[in-house]
Amino acid sequence: MERKEFLRSLGAGAAFALTFPCLNGCSSDSEDLEQFPEPTGIDFTVDLTAPESAPLANNGGFILAKSDPGARLTDIVVARNLEGNFVAASQICSHQQTDGVRFLSEDGGIFRCSTHGSRFSQTGTPLNSVTSNPLKVFQTELNGDILRVFES
């Protein structure tokens, strides 16, 4: 083997040896993210006159709610969409079960996860290629100043 051929073969092999571990290590699957279970058995109410519910007085406003008062963290995003209707979805993203989902007024009102940028319609349909898994959405029912959020 000539020197030129040897260096060329070494260069390709070395490049592969150096980039393969990096590509594997840079995968989003290897991130050390805290993951949460998707909420189930949802059936709770929100008092719209309570101070913590004030953002829901405006179209595009949202709150993070605990489906269980004894839970250690919030797990539901409750929003008043741009048309003035109430919508609710899991705060736990269907992509990698992180708790980054919020309601945004952009594009007519969407749910977006801040962890990896997953975007969902108000019906939970994925709007980009980050995930093909739908976001879990819940029913809402308004009775006076009490908003019920529940699974059907």
Side-chain angles (χ1 to χ4, degrees), residues 39-85:
T40 59
I42 301 304
D43 194 346
F44 66 96
T45 59
V46 175
D47 181 353
L48 297 176
T49 63
E52 59 271 11
S53 300
L56 296 175
N58 302 312
N59 292 1
F62 74 91
I63 62 169
L64 302 178
K66 291 182 181 182
S67 60
D68 176 7
R72 70 179 178 100
L73 59 106
T74 59
D75 57 358
I76 307 294
V77 179
V78 180
R80 178 169 269 185
N81 69 15
L82 302 181
E83 293 79 35
N85 300 312

Side-chain angles (χ1 to χ4, degrees), residues 72-121:
R72 70 179 178 100
L73 59 106
T74 59
D75 57 358
I76 307 294
V77 179
V78 180
R80 178 169 269 185
N81 69 15
L82 302 181
E83 293 79 35
N85 300 312
F86 291 102
V87 293
S90 172
Q91 185 183 338
I92 310 307
C93 184
S94 61
H95 174 233
Q96 288 191 338
Q97 292 69 51
T98 60
D99 63 343
V101 175
R102 306 293 187 268
F103 185 80
L104 300 179
S105 296
E106 63 190 44
D107 298 328
I110 62 164
F111 291 102
R112 182 181 182 281
C113 181
S114 61
T115 306
H116 294 114
S118 301
R119 296 164 52 92
F120 304 92
S121 73

Side-chain angles (χ1 to χ4, degrees), residues 4-18:
K4 187 176 182 180
E5 288 177 48
F6 174 74
L7 291 175
R8 193 175 323 147
S9 68
L10 179 64
F16 178 77
L18 291 173

